[in-house]
Amino acid sequence: MSAHKYIREEAYEANMQLPALGLVLFTFGNVSAVDRKAGVFAIKPSGVPYKDLSPDNMVIVDFDAKTVEGTMRPSSDTKTHAVLYKHWDKIGGIVHTHSTYATAWAQSQRDIPIFGTTHADHNTVDIPCAPPMDDAMIKGDYEHETGFQIINCLQSKGLSYEELEMVLVGNHAPFTWGKTAAKAVYNSAVLENIAQMALLTEQINAQAPRLKDALIKKHFERKHGPDSYYGQ
Amino acid sequence: MSAHKYIREEAYEANMQLPALGLVLFTFGNVSAVDRKAGVFAIKPSGVPYKDLSPDNMVIVDFDAKTVEGTMRPSSDTKTHAVLYKHWDKIGGIVHTHSTYATAWAQSQRDIPIFGTTHADHNTVDIPCAPPMDDAMIKGDYEHETGFQIINCLQSKGLSYEELEMVLVGNHAPFTWGKTAAKAVYNSAVLENIAQMALLTEQINAQAPRLKDALIKKHFERKHGPDSYYGQ
Amino acid sequence: MSAHKYIREEAYEANMQLPALGLVLFTFGNVSAVDRKAGVFAIKPSGVPYKDLSPDNMVIVDFDAKTVEGTMRPSSDTKTHAVLYKHWDKIGGIVHTHSTYATAWAQSQRDIPIFGTTHADHNTVDIPCAPPMDDAMIKGDYEHETGFQIINCLQSKGLSYEELEMVLVGNHAPFTWGKTAAKAVYNSAVLENIAQMALLTEQINAQAPRLKDALIKKHFERKHGPDSYYGQ
Amino acid sequence: MSAHKYIREEAYEANMQLPALGLVLFTFGNVSAVDRKAGVFAIKPSGVPYKDLSPDNMVIVDFDAKTVEGTMRPSSDTKTHAVLYKHWDKIGGIVHTHSTYATAWAQSQRDIPIFGTTHADHNTVDIPCAPPMDDAMIKGDYEHETGFQIINCLQSKGLSYEELEMVLVGNHAPFTWGKTAAKAVYNSAVLENIAQMALLTEQINAQAPRLKDALIKKHFERKHGPDSYYGQ
């Protein structure tokens, strides 16, 4: 029996949430779940339909993206996951999808403005869109560089991955993360919802202002501050 | 056994309608049902997934938002519900959601124009969007003030909560109410439908005129006037 | 046992297709089916949820909109149906919905341009939008006048109800008809589909041209002409 | 027993995927599957609802569109399929739908710009929209000419049907193909997804740039190049 039963099941359950939440067409998405002690993560095998997934066919990979256990090829985005786990030591799960509205924002190369409290309930800034990569990096170790593209984007804006758990990769699609794989999936669904409402908001009022600071602070803190009073 | 069995069940049933009608993502919504005689209402516990709700875990709260019965923390929006019940003595239920189109209008800070008979079947005015709160109020007792923001919005426009059972809170999202919790949920679904059709109407014809007075009057009265002839 | 068993069942089955096809929210729609020999039609009772419908609670009404059989009040739009049956003697069923996209076009007071073959497969002209009624007519026998508003709209454009089986009533919503109630429901779904695609077409290309005459003729005739070769 | 059991089942299974994937309303679509050795293909019978399909009622047709086996009339688009099979000898299946977003692009007579990696994962060019046919061709052998309209469109742009497996027919709707009928259906769903995201991308940023060459190349080759590393 695998020494990695727990993360296999965590990754499997989280992957199965993607089609259930309407976030993927066919196999256009993947989730991973990490075991920090063992220094490995479990990730979806590449190109396998969701209905054929099981905890057993998740692939176990280390932070250099080397397969440690499993007979299938891991997701083609595995190196991006590996870079993020290696550099961000407090995340427990990562999700990549091509969900419709978030991907459209990524393709438009714009940050998603913070227009309302639904957004502020989750973070306090516009969702950044990392710029497309240099051609040299694309031709090099592309998925590895995508990880750094994400890390550099947050760094250049002075943002912490612990406070902002979602990003758009320009021309490509969203990545989200969280303390668990389930939380990362939750963030993917929230991002898709925010992305749709932001587009609609601009269609209703092309001059719609960003949410004001007092409301951003209030909503984020009631869910996440030291005196938060949301949830149980 | 609880003395508040009836409103526990009413609130539970109404809460379960929100995901069934596609009005909520995760836990982004809540319904309450009031017992006027007892001076209390039953409301969804904060942050609990809909699939885990039961009549038993609804929280019983008085009109000062003090928990009277129940072990869980009530919805973070409880104070808003309490203010509305206290000031509007003929409402029986309240709903708050972040439904996609209504929330987009709230984020755009525009009233929803009355464009057609679907709207006029339910009320005779543009659905008002209350302006965002002053910073001082936001930093103060925010959810309590949200209640007054709604009450003041209707008052400033000379509108009665008995004739207009829905409002947008600017930058935030919709609130609806009604003689029962089920009617308030019905109003939330109607508002979402009106909000979507109003956006589409403006996209098809940027100069689309508001519905003319004779049609507003006719449609509202055939459903709600003294000589109404809709329904059984 | 009712002498009108057949049209009760036809109307019931057709009404149940409206929620199945996503064409109605709550009770915002109704279907009727006619018995030409008996000079009556069966129609949905007013304001009754679809899940509570049965062939038995359909209401039997004559062409002057008088109830002939049934204990419930018929749809508030019954007089419109009655006028159309009285004047158009080859139709067998009528549908009224507030389906989202068709209603948005009605609210925008624009005809739906014929942009493609999906439209031409069903008729050869822009779907007309009847202008809003005069105030005097609205205050008078409103639903009766709505029937004439529809008839006059087609007449003024030289259109035959046998070739064009759908119309928008300005500021209100669509009506469709057909040789049977089932065909009228089919037309409602087709209209909603055409309405959505026409809006999207204008969004993609604001100068999109109407379909050219040769294609309109070809597609309509391959489905409906004397030498049609569609279907079995 | 039919000598064409295999393609009957292949065509049947593929046709049933169209409603499952939300790509058709009523009977507005058809799939065929070819048997190269026998020089025939199996195609949906015309106008038959999907729920009434079975492997047995697929129609077997040769590359001149003559029925070889089967009692029902084949799809009205059969001649288009026949022309494509005759001229493109490496395709195994063809799909035609009127899916909402792809059809809206066809109606707008615009190519779908390549905006992101979801598009580049499948091909490297804008999805071409073939211009509407000359009137003489429309009045002639219309469905036969539609096949050449598609072939000529690719030829005039120097595109190979082996690399680009989807096209829009101006004013009409999309056609897709692939090595199998199942792959052709997959391509139809991908095209609809790309078409929706391209519209949204332009709505978010009217100046959104096309994907840069290095990214187009990278994404296409990681799925389809000689060193592809996507899938198992």
Side-chain angles (χ1 to χ4, degrees):
Chain A
M1 200 178 89
S2 167
H4 307 295
K5 189 170 183 291
Y6 181 77
I7 53 171
R8 283 181 176 282
E9 298 207 337
E10 187 186 358
Y12 166 71
E13 297 292 348
N15 270 293
M16 295 309 286
Q17 282 302 301
L18 296 188
L21 287 162
L23 298 172
V24 290
L25 175 68
F26 299 125
T27 59
F28 306 175
N30 46 72
V31 187
S32 66
V34 79
D35 177 341
R36 287 285 168 192
K37 242 191 210 157
V40 298
F41 58 94
I43 192 165
K44 183 179 176 299
S46 182
V48 176
Y50 288 93
K51 67 174 180 50
D52 297 335
L53 294 186
S54 69
D56 286 344
N57 58 21
M58 296 294 118
V59 187
I60 306 296
V61 180
D62 70 19
F63 294 175
D64 295 317
K66 297 257 156 39
T67 295
V68 167
E69 189 183 274
T71 55
M72 301 187 98
R73 189 187 287 181
S75 164
S76 58
D77 299 299
T78 296
K79 285 184 180 175
T80 310
H81 292 242
V83 166
L84 296 181
Y85 283 125
K86 199 167 191 170
H87 288 78
W88 291 350
D89 58 10
K90 287 180 187 155
I91 61 174
I94 297 171
V95 177
H96 172 53
T97 77
H98 287 219
S99 69
T100 304
Y101 287 89
T103 301
W105 280 91
Q107 292 190 161
S108 80
Q109 301 188 20
R110 286 185 56 200
D111 299 351
I112 303 178
I114 182 166
F115 280 132
T117 60
T118 320
H119 189 138
D121 281 339
H122 297 94
N123 53 69
T124 61
V125 295
D126 296 355
I127 311 297
C129 180
M133 242 177 251
D134 287 348
D135 287 9
M137 286 159 75
I138 293 168
K139 283 170 197 164
D141 200 353
Y142 175 65
E143 289 81 9
H144 184 75
E145 298 291 359
T146 298
F148 289 105
Q149 195 187 8
I150 293 170
I151 289 170
N152 294 343
C153 173
L154 264 70
Q155 212 156 34
S156 74
K157 291 174 185 266
L159 300 171
S160 151
Y161 73 86
E162 291 185 80
E163 288 183 8
L164 176 74
E165 298 182 328
M166 50 188 74
V167 75
L168 307 173
V169 175
N171 281 139
H172 187 167
F175 281 81
T176 65
W177 52 88
K179 288 203 190 306
T180 62
K183 180 70 193 310
V185 170
Y186 169 93
N187 285 334
S188 282
V190 166
L191 172 55
E192 180 67 2
N193 187 232
I194 288 173
Q196 180 179 10
M197 297 200 306
L199 168 55
L200 296 173
T201 299
E202 294 193 343
Q203 289 180 328
I204 295 168
N205 181 356
Q207 267 72 50
R210 290 176 77 257
L211 191 62
K212 60 183 188 170
D213 286 343
L215 270 171
I216 292 175
K217 200 161 176 274
K218 180 68 192 179
H219 268 264
F220 189 73
E221 294 196 344
R222 76 176 196 164
K223 267 204 167 173
H224 308 280
D227 304 317
S228 75
Y229 49 95
Y230 185 90
Q232 301 298 327
Chain B
M1 200 177 90
S2 167
H4 306 295
K5 188 171 183 293
Y6 180 78
I7 53 172
R8 283 181 176 283
E9 298 207 335
E10 186 186 358
Y12 166 71
E13 297 291 348
N15 270 294
M16 294 310 285
Q17 283 301 302
L18 296 188
L21 287 162
L23 297 172
V24 291
L25 174 69
F26 298 125
T27 60
F28 306 174
N30 46 72
V31 188
S32 65
V34 80
D35 177 341
R36 287 284 168 190
K37 241 190 211 156
V40 298
F41 59 94
I43 192 165
K44 182 179 177 297
S46 182
V48 176
Y50 288 93
K51 68 173 181 51
D52 298 334
L53 294 186
S54 69
D56 285 345
N57 59 21
M58 296 293 118
V59 187
I60 306 296
V61 181
D62 70 18
F63 295 175
D64 295 318
K66 296 259 155 40
T67 295
V68 167
E69 190 182 273
T71 54
M72 299 187 100
R73 190 187 286 180
S75 164
S76 59
D77 299 298
T78 296
K79 286 183 179 176
T80 310
H81 292 240
V83 166
L84 296 181
Y85 283 125
K86 199 167 191 170
H87 288 78
W88 291 349
D89 57 11
K90 286 180 187 155
I91 61 174
I94 296 170
V95 177
H96 173 53
T97 77
H98 287 220
S99 69
T100 305
Y101 287 88
T103 300
W105 279 91
Q107 292 189 162
S108 80
Q109 301 188 21
R110 286 185 57 201
D111 299 350
I112 304 177
I114 182 167
F115 279 131
T117 60
T118 321
H119 189 139
D121 282 339
H122 297 94
N123 53 67
T124 61
V125 296
D126 295 354
I127 311 298
C129 180
M133 242 177 251
D134 287 348
D135 287 9
M137 286 159 74
I138 293 168
K139 283 169 196 161
D141 200 352
Y142 175 66
E143 289 81 7
H144 184 75
E145 298 291 0
T146 299
F148 289 106
Q149 196 188 6
I150 292 170
I151 290 170
N152 294 342
C153 173
L154 265 71
Q155 212 156 35
S156 74
K157 291 174 185 266
L159 300 171
S160 152
Y161 73 87
E162 291 185 81
E163 288 184 7
L164 176 73
E165 298 182 328
M166 51 188 72
V167 75
L168 306 174
V169 175
N171 281 138
H172 186 168
F175 281 82
T176 65
W177 51 89
K179 287 203 191 306
T180 62
K183 180 69 194 310
V185 170
Y186 168 93
N187 285 333
S188 284
V190 166
L191 172 55
E192 180 66 3
N193 187 232
I194 288 172
Q196 181 180 9
M197 295 200 306
L199 168 54
L200 296 174
T201 299
E202 294 193 341
Q203 289 180 329
I204 295 168
N205 181 358
Q207 267 71 49
R210 290 175 76 257
L211 191 61
K212 61 183 187 170
D213 286 343
L215 270 172
I216 292 174
K217 199 161 177 274
K218 179 68 192 179
H219 267 264
F220 191 72
E221 294 196 344
R222 76 176 197 164
K223 265 204 167 172
H224 308 281
D227 304 317
S228 75
Y229 49 94
Y230 184 90
Q232 301 299 325
Chain C
M1 200 179 90
S2 167
H4 307 295
K5 189 169 183 290
Y6 181 77
I7 53 172
R8 283 182 176 283
E9 298 207 338
E10 187 186 356
Y12 166 72
E13 296 292 347
N15 269 293
M16 295 310 285
Q17 283 301 303
L18 296 188
L21 287 163
L23 297 172
V24 291
L25 176 67
F26 298 125
T27 61
F28 305 175
N30 46 73
V31 187
S32 66
V34 79
D35 177 342
R36 288 282 168 192
K37 241 191 211 157
V40 298
F41 59 93
I43 192 165
K44 183 180 177 294
S46 181
V48 175
Y50 288 92
K51 67 174 181 48
D52 298 334
L53 293 186
S54 70
D56 286 345
N57 59 22
M58 296 293 117
V59 187
I60 306 296
V61 181
D62 69 19
F63 294 175
D64 295 318
K66 296 258 156 37
T67 296
V68 166
E69 191 184 271
T71 54
M72 299 187 99
R73 189 187 287 180
S75 165
S76 58
D77 299 299
T78 296
K79 285 183 179 177
T80 309
H81 292 240
V83 166
L84 296 181
Y85 284 125
K86 200 168 191 170
H87 288 77
W88 290 349
D89 57 11
K90 287 180 187 153
I91 61 175
I94 297 171
V95 177
H96 172 53
T97 76
H98 287 220
S99 69
T100 303
Y101 287 88
T103 301
W105 279 92
Q107 292 190 161
S108 80
Q109 301 187 20
R110 286 185 56 199
D111 300 350
I112 303 177
I114 183 167
F115 279 131
T117 61
T118 321
H119 188 137
D121 281 338
H122 297 93
N123 53 68
T124 61
V125 295
D126 295 355
I127 311 297
C129 181
M133 241 178 253
D134 287 349
D135 287 10
M137 285 159 74
I138 293 168
K139 283 170 196 160
D141 199 353
Y142 175 66
E143 290 81 8
H144 185 74
E145 299 290 0
T146 299
F148 289 104
Q149 196 187 5
I150 293 170
I151 290 170
N152 294 343
C153 173
L154 265 70
Q155 213 157 35
S156 74
K157 290 173 185 267
L159 299 171
S160 152
Y161 73 85
E162 290 185 82
E163 288 184 8
L164 176 73
E165 298 182 328
M166 49 187 74
V167 76
L168 307 174
V169 176
N171 282 140
H172 187 168
F175 281 82
T176 65
W177 51 89
K179 285 202 192 309
T180 62
K183 180 70 194 309
V185 169
Y186 168 92
N187 285 333
S188 283
V190 166
L191 172 55
E192 180 66 4
N193 187 232
I194 288 173
Q196 181 179 9
M197 295 200 306
L199 169 55
L200 296 173
T201 300
E202 294 193 342
Q203 289 180 330
I204 294 167
N205 181 358
Q207 266 71 50
R210 290 175 77 256
L211 191 61
K212 59 183 186 169
D213 286 343
L215 270 171
I216 292 174
K217 198 160 176 276
K218 179 69 191 178
H219 268 264
F220 190 72
E221 294 196 343
R222 75 175 198 166
K223 265 203 167 173
H224 307 281
D227 303 318
S228 75
Y229 48 93
Y230 185 89
Q232 300 300 325
Chain D
M1 201 178 90
S2 166
H4 307 295
K5 190 169 181 289
Y6 181 76
I7 54 172
R8 284 183 176 280
E9 297 206 338
E10 187 185 358
Y12 166 71
E13 297 291 347
N15 270 292
M16 295 309 285
Q17 282 302 302
L18 295 187
L21 287 163
L23 297 173
V24 290
L25 176 68
F26 299 125
T27 59
F28 306 175
N30 46 73
V31 187
S32 66
V34 80
D35 178 342
R36 288 282 169 193
K37 243 192 211 156
V40 298
F41 59 93
I43 192 165
K44 183 179 176 297
S46 182
V48 176
Y50 289 92
K51 67 174 181 48
D52 298 335
L53 293 186
S54 70
D56 286 344
N57 58 22
M58 296 294 117
V59 187
I60 306 296
V61 181
D62 69 19
F63 294 175
D64 294 317
K66 296 255 157 40
T67 295
V68 166
E69 189 183 271
T71 54
M72 300 187 99
R73 189 187 287 180
S75 164
S76 58
D77 299 300
T78 296
K79 286 183 179 176
T80 310
H81 292 241
V83 166
L84 297 181
Y85 283 124
K86 200 166 190 170
H87 288 77
W88 291 349
D89 58 10
K90 288 181 187 153
I91 61 175
I94 297 171
V95 177
H96 172 53
T97 77
H98 287 218
S99 69
T100 304
Y101 287 88
T103 301
W105 279 92
Q107 293 189 160
S108 79
Q109 300 186 20
R110 286 185 56 200
D111 299 351
I112 304 177
I114 182 166
F115 280 133
T117 60
T118 321
H119 189 137
D121 281 339
H122 297 92
N123 53 69
T124 61
V125 295
D126 296 354
I127 312 296
C129 180
M133 240 177 253
D134 287 349
D135 286 10
M137 286 159 74
I138 293 168
K139 281 170 197 161
D141 200 352
Y142 176 65
E143 290 81 8
H144 184 74
E145 298 291 0
T146 298
F148 288 105
Q149 196 187 6
I150 293 170
I151 290 171
N152 294 342
C153 173
L154 264 70
Q155 211 156 35
S156 74
K157 290 173 185 266
L159 299 169
S160 151
Y161 74 85
E162 290 184 82
E163 286 183 8
L164 176 74
E165 299 183 326
M166 50 188 74
V167 76
L168 306 174
V169 175
N171 282 141
H172 188 167
F175 281 81
T176 66
W177 52 88
K179 287 204 192 304
T180 62
K183 180 69 194 309
V185 170
Y186 169 92
N187 284 334
S188 283
V190 166
L191 172 55
E192 179 67 3
N193 188 232
I194 287 173
Q196 180 179 11
M197 296 201 305
L199 168 54
L200 296 174
T201 299
E202 294 193 342
Q203 289 180 329
I204 294 168
N205 182 357
Q207 267 72 51
R210 289 175 79 257
L211 192 61
K212 60 183 186 169
D213 287 342
L215 271 171
I216 291 175
K217 198 160 177 274
K218 179 69 192 179
H219 268 264
F220 189 72
E221 294 196 345
R222 74 177 197 164
K223 267 203 167 175
H224 307 280
D227 304 317
S228 77
Y229 48 94
Y230 185 89
Q232 299 301 324

